[in-house]
Amino acid sequence: MLDDVVDSIPYLQVFAARWRTGQIAPLGEPVRSRTVENALRAIGQTMASVGAEDRRLNTRGNIEYRLQQQLKGYKRIDPPPDRVKPIPFQLVNQVNLVANLCNDPMSLAAADLATLGFFFLLRPGEHTHPPTTAANQPFRLMDVTFRYGNQNLPADTANIDQLTFATFATLTFTTQKNAVRNEIVGHARSGHSTTCPVAALIRRTLHLRAHNASPTTTLCTVYALSSTSTTYVTSTILTATLRSALAALPDLGILPRHISARALRAGGAMALLCGQVDSNIIKLVGRWRSDEMLRYLHLQAYPLMMHLAPSMVRGGQFHMLSHQPLPPAVLPLLFAAAEADQQPTL
């Protein structure tokens, strides 16, 4: 805890430098400034969790100046981030087309989960099998509800024949990030012959119930055709599925390294944005607390940006009002009014 050290900052600076170069980082490779900052934060939080002093902070509770400057220096020399690209609908549809041809349980499950990730703006850990250390859990069979007419049809108990006619489906959020507990987000049928969020949830439900899955079974669970053994769709599998389907769509202008399961969330948001859906509704569906993601998507969206330059040409042709001097006859009146304002009141 550095209790016997008068000035602990140099120790933290050396730690940060060695973490930065990969000398003591877990993977043994150089890392970026944000990773170094997170490592230092973990140290400070560990100290505070046992009642010790967070040695990163000064007396005002801010990061000490020397550490601030060191982290700023790392940010300046970091390469620009190689962000994933929002996944267009064509790629999600291609995944569904390939899965229907293969008719393999894993391929079909990956296609359904890609569809859900796109339409419901999901993070990978919300619809794929998460690491064992994850605090949240993927959606379960009991979190799905369908609607047909005026009837609500719980996925785990509803009549199978009724489910196939459902026109609306919802997911109930429980431990998912940035979600209000028991918040419900739903979608109607997309009207597309291949890719539809309601149809994807129906297929997932029918697959799980055909194998007598319990209500707590996750949607990413996959049962083999010839046995009761189970596997799971992970974010790695979903990423590989998306990248494989990309090979058939070279005109999208996206490289495989720009594709990941996480990009489905951005892709769904981009689709809503280009569809001129109100930004506040997009934030509600995506559970965003700020406008940062929407700002990033605005700059990436060709349909939104393509008309800006012509609009600026049209709107940029204006004239400033010239300065109009006051008529000489008005000046004595203004001076008289100013003198009257300065007279003391009786």
Side-chain angles (χ1 to χ4, degrees):
M1 298 299 165
L2 302 176
D3 289 333
D4 299 329
V5 178
V6 176
D7 185 3
S8 58
I9 297 302
Y11 289 85
L12 295 175
Q13 286 184 294
V14 171
F15 171 86
R18 292 178 177 174
W19 196 278
R20 166 80 171 178
T21 61
Q23 184 177 348
I24 58 175
L27 298 180
E29 298 177 356
V31 297
R32 300 192 180 205
S33 59
R34 189 65 179 270
T35 305
V36 178
E37 185 177 353
N38 290 339
L40 288 171
R41 183 184 298 112
I43 292 176
Q45 290 175 344
T46 301
M47 291 176 171
S49 68
V50 296
E53 180 183 351
D54 185 343
R55 297 287 179 159
R56 300 172 304 142
L57 309 181
N58 57 26
T59 55
R60 296 184 298 277
N62 300 322
I63 301 295
E64 207 272 345
Y65 178 78
R66 287 169 287 177
L67 281 178
Q68 281 187 11
Q69 294 306 304
Q70 185 172 354
L71 293 174
K72 285 182 180 179
Y74 291 159
K75 288 181 180 179
R76 283 194 292 269
I77 62 177
D78 272 349
D82 190 14
R83 290 174 172 167
V84 296
K85 304 297 183 184
I87 290 178
F89 175 80
Q90 302 97 300
L91 181 55
V92 180
N93 187 55
Q94 179 66 22
V95 170
N96 278 276
L97 291 173
V98 173
N100 290 335
L101 291 175
C102 296
N103 200 30
D104 170 68
M106 179 59 75
S107 299
L108 292 170
D112 289 338
L113 294 175
T115 302
L116 297 181
F118 179 85
F119 281 98
F120 284 92
L121 278 57
L122 301 180
R123 296 177 177 85
E126 296 170 346
H127 63 307
T128 62
H129 193 62
T132 55
T133 56
N136 62 333
Q137 63 182 2
F139 288 105
R140 303 159 297 176
L141 184 60
M142 62 187 292
D143 298 326
V144 181
T145 302
F146 297 97
R147 189 168 182 82
Y148 175 64
N150 294 323
Q151 300 182 68
N152 286 327
L153 309 172
D156 55 332
T157 59
N159 182 280
I160 293 294
D161 294 331
Q162 288 182 307
L163 290 182
T164 58
F165 296 102
T167 56
F168 194 83
T170 65
L171 290 174
T172 301
F173 288 80
T174 53
T175 60
Q176 288 74 24
K177 184 178 180 181
N178 288 355
V180 177
R181 191 172 179 84
N182 291 329
E183 183 178 30
I184 297 175
V185 177
H187 272 298
R189 288 185 178 267
S190 67
H192 194 272
S193 60
T194 309
T195 306
C196 170
V198 177
L201 281 172
I202 291 174
R203 287 191 293 267
R204 285 284 78 219
T205 298
L206 295 178
H207 175 78
L208 296 179
R209 290 189 57 178
H211 294 84
N212 299 317
S214 68
T216 58
T217 304
T218 58
L219 298 181
C220 57
T221 304
V222 182
Y223 290 89
L225 289 175
S226 58
S227 67
T228 58
S229 61
T230 59
T231 54
Y232 303 94
V233 178
T234 63
S235 61
T236 301
I237 291 175
L238 193 52
T239 296
T241 301
L242 291 166
R243 291 179 178 177
S244 176
L246 183 63
L249 301 170
D251 294 338
L252 291 182
I254 302 176
L255 298 176
R257 71 171 185 273
H258 294 151
I259 292 295
S260 74
R262 185 175 300 276
L264 287 165
R265 175 172 166 82
M270 179 75 88
L272 291 172
L273 200 61
C274 293
Q276 299 183 350
V277 175
D278 185 84
S279 295
N280 289 325
I281 294 178
I282 300 175
K283 286 173 62 177
L284 286 173
V285 175
R287 290 105 52 221
W288 278 298
R289 304 289 175 85
S290 71
D291 295 326
E292 185 62 28
M293 173 58 83
L294 297 179
R295 174 182 172 275
Y296 163 66
L297 293 178
H298 265 288
L299 298 177
Q300 292 280 324
Y302 174 74
L304 294 175
M305 302 296 289
M306 63 182 293
H307 302 296
L308 294 189
S311 298
M312 294 172 75
V313 171
R314 294 189 300 270
Q317 301 182 49
F318 52 82
H319 298 278
M320 300 295 293
L321 292 174
S322 60
H323 178 65
Q324 299 290 336
L326 291 173
V330 177
L331 294 178
L333 297 176
L334 292 178
F335 288 133
E339 290 177 358
D341 289 339
Q342 293 176 0
Q343 294 295 327
T345 56
L346 298 178

